[in-house]
Amino acid sequence: MQEIHLTAQSHNSVIRCGQGVFETYAPKYKEGQFFIVTDSNVFALYRHLLWETFGININIKILPAGEKSKTHKYLFEILKEMLNCGMRRNCTVIAFGGGVVGDIAGLAAALYMRGVNLVQIPTTLLAQVDSSVGGKTAVDMCGVKNVIGTFYQPQEVLADPRFLETLPEKEIRCGLGEIVKYGALDGGIFAKLTENKNNLKDLRFLSEIIYRCIAHKAKVVKDDERDLNGLRKTLNMGHSTGHALELYYGKKSHGEYVLIGMYFELFIARKLGICTGQYAEELKSLILSVIKKIPYYADLEKAADYAKFDKKNNDEKISLIVPKALGESTEIKLGLEEYVKLLKECGGGL
Ligand SMILES: NC(=O)c1ccc[n+]([C@@H]2O[C@H](COP(=O)([O-])OP(=O)(O)OC[C@H]3O[C@@H](n4cnc5c(N)ncnc54)[C@H](O)[C@@H]3O)[C@@H](O)[C@H]2O)c1
């Protein structure tokens, strides 16, 4: 078991990772008032574990599984049920699930009585390496992702790889998208990933890499909690193009689009002479070891239009975080026309 102390400006978090952290640290929450938020899939798989750990009479909100539950409607349902259950200011909200549950439960914890304790127990790979750490909480509105939200740090994160044993392969690939992104930002993670390129889905390997990814994110969040000085936006590598393709095509998981976005953005970085040589080849091969095939996109021009709305842009230009060298990235800004031209040159269809 490993521990990371995240000293953010607003609030400190302790992040515990490794096999056994759930059974060691979760039971203490039954000593106080607590409210669990989970989703229908996770509840079906782990209800006995929840009952064993917290007792049969738990206050719990079970959301329908999937992104469609990340709305103000369900947010207010959670808040109403917390009130009906008599939750007080010193209660703890326990987010037990993937990134959807973590984001909406985090926002509920931030709003209820102006803020109550929050514990994140992430059960997907993506939530363990990314969304449960760093305090971003949100719901979607009118089809716009994460448009209502706030920064609210959990007091504790329990990232236990035991939950990955039931995770479908597609969701493992989704988490690997974010893990490869960390590899492009951190030389140590990159070396581990390339050494284990044929073994990335192995649960023992994942348990080790989860800690390293969280440690990288915690370092970034400590120095730029509110995304203000440019450091935190490096975590968005691959996301501008990935997100645009996700919004237009929307058939794959978020993490797979991050990988596809990284593939296109690496091509752009090579074309512009920013990232070259053996490292660029190795990164491309790492991306392709997870995603295998980059689809051919016939409508790149229309998809690219969605990149205009990316939060990183602060003028007309498209901002991209691109790989530069081992453990180094940089921000570039491209006009829409040039961006589309480069995407088309890259093409996909590999
Ligand atoms: N807050 C942040 O910093 C941040 C960062 C990245 C992504 N996100 C958000 O995270 C969300 C995506 O998270 P996600 O990929 O975890 O999706 P998710 O929460 O929808 O989970 C994916 C699927 O896996 C199922 N599942 C969860 N745990 C399981 C388990 N242990 N075994 C079997 N099935 C399980 C879920 O029911 C769901 O069907 C998006 O809404 C995204 O905006 C937030």
Side-chain angles (χ1 to χ4, degrees), residues 244 299-308 318 336 339-340 343:
D299 274 346
L300 280 171
E301 196 154 354
K302 287 187 190 149
D305 227 39
Y306 284 96
K308 285 198 297 203
I318 310 292
L336 186 62
Y339 176 56
V340 172
L343 290 179

Side-chain angles (χ1 to χ4, degrees), residues 17 26 67 70 88 98 186 220 262 278 328 343:
C17 4
E67 184 74 25
K70 229 178 91 173
R88 295 182 295 269
D186 181 314
V220 169
M262 277 182 69
Q278 200 191 334
E328 277 181 58
L343 290 179

Side-chain angles (χ1 to χ4, degrees), residues 39-42 45-46 65-67 70 97-103 122-127 130-138 140 145-146 162-168 171 174-175 178 217 232 239 253-255:
D39 78 22
S40 48
N41 291 342
V42 178
L45 287 162
Y46 292 106
E67 184 74 25
K70 229 178 91 173
V100 166
V101 165
D103 277 12
T123 61
T124 62
L125 184 57
L126 177 126
D130 192 3
S131 61
S132 64
V133 175
K136 282 190 180 173
T137 72
D140 309 335
K145 262 184 77 96
N146 300 330
R162 68 174 288 167
F163 298 114
L164 307 183
E165 283 166 23
T166 55
L167 205 58
E171 300 300 337
C174 173
E178 295 291 348
K217 182 159 184 185
R232 191 160 181 170
H239 285 62
S253 71
H254 170 76

Side-chain angles (χ1 to χ4, degrees), residues 169-207:
E169 149 113 31
K170 179 173 182 272
E171 300 300 337
I172 296 279
R173 239 187 357 261
C174 173
L176 277 171
E178 295 291 348
I179 291 175
V180 169
K181 173 204 75 183
Y182 283 113
L185 297 171
D186 181 314
I189 297 176
F190 186 80
K192 275 273 159 224
L193 292 174
T194 42
E195 268 166 39
N196 291 277
K197 211 163 70 182
N198 300 319
N199 202 23
L200 294 178
K201 291 177 190 147
D202 179 86
L203 284 189
R204 249 175 318 175
F205 170 69
L206 286 175
S207 307

Side-chain angles (χ1 to χ4, degrees), residues 70-116:
K70 229 178 91 173
T71 61
H72 64 285
K73 173 179 171 278
Y74 285 106
L75 173 69
F76 282 98
E77 278 187 20
I78 295 171
L79 294 168
K80 208 162 131 193
E81 288 186 28
M82 286 177 69
L83 195 61
N84 288 342
C85 295
M87 289 292 131
R88 295 182 295 269
R89 273 217 68 196
N90 60 355
C91 75
T92 298
V93 170
I94 299 175
F96 183 66
V100 166
V101 165
D103 277 12
I104 191 169
L107 186 54
L111 293 175
Y112 190 75
M113 297 193 176
R114 299 201 183 93
V116 296

